[in-house]
Amino acid sequence: MLPGRGRNGRVVLRGRVSQILGIRTSILGTRTSWTPVGDGEFFCPGCGGDRNYQRLTGRRRFTLVGVPVLPRGETGPVVECAACRHHYGNDVLDHPTTVRFSAMLREAVHTVALAVLAAGGTCARASLETAVSAVRSAGFEDCTEDQLSALVEALAADTGRVFGGPCDPGLAIELHEALDPLAPHLAATGREAILLQGARIALADGPYTPAERDALATVGAALTICSDDVTRLLAAARTPS
């Protein structure tokens, strides 16, 4: 039977073509040689946890029967997980590790608590108790009322600000330094939760003062919460649950 005629002929011909293409594919190919240029720990999206990584750059070559023969250019750099061996772009390193994220969250809650207490002006016991509860829940388990009160007094002495006054530039900078790096890694509910914790501290000893509202507005801005949502959340915090 001539090639291409009849059903069986077509099957045989296609089979031979596939075999020929398979042989050519196995003869010609590319290979990448990876060179480590750094390492560290990162949050692996594939594993879903903190893992070690290597940062790699690669050189590609054409291969003939598996043997490198001609350079094809460079590739990478990439980040390779030491556990799953998957490769990721360098932007994966922008995500904090679980350990780093926990530390950022602790510092954020602690800074917000100090800012609201300083704005309140009195460090009333009810406010201190609420602040200590929030800070402990964030991870500072040994935090005490005396510690927070002393830190608020030290903050006032360092900045020269008056208790109960508007949120001064120095304190605003501290809030932004603590909250700006954290905000992109929090969902909207997480950012709102931090603001609400500050609101509860402010409300523990009575209604908001203008200084407390000013401090909480700065917290909301640092957390990229729009002003309308800040107003809504502060109003919601006043409503008993």
Side-chain angles (χ1 to χ4, degrees):
M1 182 179 292
L2 293 175
R5 290 192 177 184
R7 180 182 176 188
N8 292 336
R10 286 198 297 271
V11 172
V12 172
L13 181 57
R14 288 173 183 172
R16 289 176 179 173
V17 171
S18 299
Q19 289 175 356
I20 293 171
L21 290 176
I23 292 172
R24 288 180 178 174
T25 302
S26 64
I27 293 174
L28 299 175
T30 58
R31 178 182 297 177
T32 302
S33 298
W34 296 103
T35 302
V37 293
D39 57 25
E41 189 177 50
F42 80 131
F43 180 86
C44 175
C47 297
D50 295 347
R51 298 291 187 269
N52 292 326
Y53 73 85
Q54 278 194 320
R55 193 164 173 268
L56 308 172
T57 59
R59 290 181 177 275
R60 294 179 295 179
R61 288 181 177 273
F62 287 109
T63 61
L64 180 64
V65 195
V67 178
V69 289
L70 293 172
R72 195 185 174 191
E74 297 184 352
T75 185
V78 299
V79 174
E80 181 185 77
C81 176
C84 67
R85 300 296 180 183
H86 285 175
H87 287 182
Y88 303 98
N90 281 333
D91 57 349
V92 75
L93 299 180
D94 294 336
H95 193 291
T97 64
T98 303
V99 174
R100 175 60 183 152
F101 179 79
S102 297
M104 292 166 65
L105 186 59
R106 287 196 303 269
E107 290 296 333
V109 173
H110 189 263
T111 303
V112 169
L114 288 178
V116 175
L117 288 174
T122 60
C123 275
R125 185 174 184 82
S127 296
L128 280 171
E129 289 177 349
T130 305
V132 167
S133 177
V135 173
R136 286 179 176 175
S137 297
F140 286 116
E141 298 178 358
D142 297 331
C143 179
T144 65
E145 294 175 23
D146 290 340
Q147 288 175 350
L148 285 185
S149 180
L151 286 172
V152 171
E153 291 178 2
L155 179 64
D158 289 342
T159 60
R161 73 190 301 274
V162 178
F163 279 135
C167 188
D168 65 83
L171 189 55
I173 290 172
E174 288 192 26
L175 283 169
H176 277 280
E177 287 179 346
L179 299 175
D180 285 353
L182 179 65
H185 306 293
L186 285 173
T189 53
R191 289 182 276 117
E192 291 178 357
I194 293 177
L195 177 63
L196 286 171
Q197 284 180 328
R200 294 186 188 103
I201 295 170
L203 292 170
D205 63 345
Y208 299 118
T209 66
E212 287 171 339
R213 282 189 174 276
D214 185 42
L216 291 169
T218 302
V219 171
L223 290 169
T224 66
I225 302 174
C226 71
S227 58
D228 288 344
D229 284 340
V230 169
T231 301
R232 172 181 60 81
L233 291 166
L234 295 188
R238 289 186 304 183
T239 305
S241 56

